[in-house]
Amino acid sequence: MKNRVLIGAIALVSTLALGGCGYLPGAGGGDRTVTIWLMKDSVSADFLDRFTASYEEEHPSVELEFKIQSWSGIGPKVTAALKGEDTPDVIEVGNTQVAQYAESGGLRDLTLESMRDLGSEDWLPGLADPGSIEGIQYGIPWYAANRVVIYNKELFEKAGIKTPPKTRDEWIEDSRLLNQDGNQGMYLAGQNWYVLAGFIWDEGGNLADDKGGEWEGGLATPAALRGMDFYKELQSYGNGPKDADEEKPPQTDVFAKGDVAQIISVPGSAKLIEQKNPELKGKLGYFPIPGKTAKHPGSVFTGGSDLIVPDKADQRSAGIDVIKALAGEKWQADLARTMSYVPNKPSLAHVIEGQEGTAAMAQGARRGRATPNSPQWAAVEATNPIKPYMTAVLQGGDPQEEAKAASERITAELAGS
């Protein structure tokens, strides 16, 4: 999914501008041209140059043409392409967008290639699951990013905390100790619903449940309510606004003031913090969001991209071959190192060892999940009843009543009413 989760991850990398809606033609003179739509800033120009040169050398009859698209307004453009209007051979889409495109019936079934050639059984669930609709794999996982805890090492040391917490209980205790002497133990905005989703998943709940083809909002279940209760406690160890999300004000700006011990964000946010306050360089650390036990980190929302092939593409087979290369081990390793992304398989996490923030992200990605796999989920996010629900609870509203009302609105959106 394009979402805010990727903005900070991309900030880790100084890339050359690719140009919205421009194109990068291949250097080869092949007799077949494979057209690939990639999203602006997903990869660097250097990566594309390396990939193109290598691929065209290995496939002399193929020329690659990369057309760079903007996330803004991409939905209708992809939908039109799937109907046969200026259809490319490969499209990068947000991992949680696959369901809405699959509903059109215009996607190529890639299940065989997934199992036979790409080792789909080892993919990160947060990328693979939303790409699979009713057992058919339409989206091939490409890259992932997720939230971690960014912390101020100096404030941890002053509080006597020698190592980052590994369990929720330790995390709460550390946040309490850090929340004193004019410092905030945890800056957590009241409407950071992606973080709440992880806490709900850890408790065994869901944002919404598929009841035999009919989706129902799940915020009022005991498990989801426990997740919200934990969020409320953690949020109390700081001065995050109860009625706004992490962008109002930008939590990186708040952290940069130097009196906040922790925020929950993608690792790339550290670069934004250091740009705002260079005195914090060398003082920032990262750890995965703690789970209920030390055995596993906490669940996290996985953002990222999948690759799809339109059924009406002129070069479907050649497009599938390009995807096999992009999603295969060689170029996954290159992409992860170049862009500080999490590769599509946990077994490849070793390639980003030495990148502290990305390594912490990769640990959390093992417990990554995506939003409910309904083609109507985008409509839920557009109105987003989860945010006002969170604010109401944090401001003292009855959790059960507020959750029930929000769940009813989610159910209505998922039903298209």
Side-chain angles (χ1 to χ4, degrees):
M1 188 175 188
K2 67 185 178 79
N3 289 309
R4 275 82 63 187
V5 72
L6 292 179
I7 295 173
I10 291 166
L12 275 172
V13 185
S14 177
T15 64
L16 296 175
L18 299 181
C21 296
Y23 69 91
L24 297 171
D31 53 21
R32 287 183 297 162
T33 298
V34 178
T35 303
I36 304 109
W37 285 5
L38 297 185
M39 303 311 298
K40 188 174 184 289
D41 294 332
S42 282
V43 298
S44 68
D46 285 344
F47 174 86
L48 284 187
D49 287 344
R50 287 195 302 276
F51 178 79
T52 300
S54 175
Y55 193 88
E56 290 183 349
E57 182 178 0
E58 294 174 4
H59 303 80
S61 66
V62 173
E63 180 176 347
L64 302 183
E65 181 184 51
F66 291 94
K67 293 189 175 182
I68 308 304
Q69 310 295 323
S70 171
W71 283 113
S72 177
I74 190 60
K77 191 169 185 178
V78 172
T79 300
L82 296 180
K83 293 178 180 178
E85 300 177 23
D86 190 27
T87 305
D89 303 299
V90 177
I91 306 176
E92 175 195 351
V93 300
N95 59 321
T96 62
Q97 296 174 335
V98 177
Q100 71 186 78
Y101 297 137
E103 189 180 37
S104 71
L107 298 188
R108 182 79 167 180
D109 180 349
L110 302 175
T111 307
L112 175 61
E113 292 81 4
S114 300
M115 296 187 295
R116 183 188 63 197
D117 305 317
L118 291 168
S120 58
E121 68 277 6
D122 296 327
W123 282 336
L124 290 172
L127 289 180
D129 292 350
S132 176
I133 314 298
E134 296 181 355
I136 298 175
Q137 195 74 40
Y138 294 108
I140 302 299
W142 194 24
Y143 62 80
N146 50 265
R147 289 164 177 79
V148 300
V149 182
I150 302 176
Y151 72 101
N152 186 316
K153 294 179 180 180
E154 192 172 68
L155 295 184
F156 267 57
E157 184 178 346
K158 287 181 179 179
I161 303 170
K162 297 181 180 179
T163 58
K166 294 187 179 299
T167 69
R168 275 192 184 183
D169 289 343
E170 292 174 356
W171 196 20
I172 287 293
E173 177 60 17
D174 287 351
S175 298
R176 184 187 66 78
L177 290 173
L178 291 160
N179 193 48
Q180 56 186 323
D181 300 327
N183 297 320
Q184 297 184 56
M186 165 63 72
Y187 181 87
L188 180 59
Q191 295 184 350
N192 196 331
W193 68 277
Y194 289 114
V195 172
L196 172 64
F199 298 160
I200 290 175
W201 292 329
D202 273 347
E203 295 291 348
N206 290 300
L207 300 176
D209 295 291
D210 185 355
K211 304 288 189 179
E214 299 292 330
W215 286 89
E216 293 182 3
L219 298 178
T221 64
L225 290 169
R226 289 194 300 270
M228 183 65 218
D229 186 60
F230 180 77
Y231 189 101
K232 183 177 182 179
E233 182 175 7
L234 188 65
Q235 202 267 345
S236 71
Y237 296 113
N239 301 325
K242 293 179 171 58
D243 60 350
D245 63 23
E246 64 274 24
E247 294 300 322
K248 301 175 184 177
Q251 62 176 349
T252 51
D253 289 357
V254 178
F255 191 96
K257 295 176 182 178
D259 60 355
V260 171
Q262 307 170 88
I263 59 171
I264 301 172
S265 187
V266 290
S269 293
K271 192 172 188 69
L272 301 178
I273 292 166
E274 291 171 352
Q275 289 173 351
K276 193 79 173 178
N277 183 0
E279 292 183 5
L280 288 177
K281 286 185 177 180
K283 298 179 181 179
L284 304 182
Y286 316 82
F287 58 88
I289 293 174
K292 300 185 77 171
T293 69
K295 186 177 181 180
H296 299 292
S299 299
V300 291
F301 167 75
T302 299
S305 284
D306 282 12
L307 299 170
I308 60 174
V309 174
D311 238 351
K312 294 184 181 296
D314 289 336
Q315 302 292 340
R316 290 192 302 273
S317 295
I320 291 171
D321 287 340
V322 172
I323 288 180
K324 289 177 186 177
L326 287 169
E329 291 189 9
K330 175 184 176 180
W331 291 103
Q332 277 291 294
D334 190 311
L335 181 65
R337 284 191 292 261
T338 300
M339 302 300 297
S340 296
Y341 289 147
V342 177
N344 61 13
K345 293 180 179 179
S347 61
L348 296 175
H350 64 89
V351 303
I352 40 125
E353 288 177 359
Q355 298 182 23
E356 184 184 354
T358 313
M361 190 163 60
Q363 290 181 55
R366 295 172 181 267
R367 299 265 292 163
R369 294 179 59 172
T371 49
N373 207 11
S374 163
Q376 302 301 320
W377 184 256
V380 175
E381 290 196 25
T383 58
N384 209 331
I386 304 172
K387 286 186 172 185
Y389 153 67
M390 296 171 72
T391 294
V393 173
L394 293 175
Q395 291 179 341
D398 181 85
Q400 182 73 55
E401 292 181 5
E402 298 294 345
K404 184 175 182 294
S407 291
E408 289 175 350
R409 290 195 291 272
I410 291 173
T411 300
E413 292 288 355
L414 292 176
S417 58

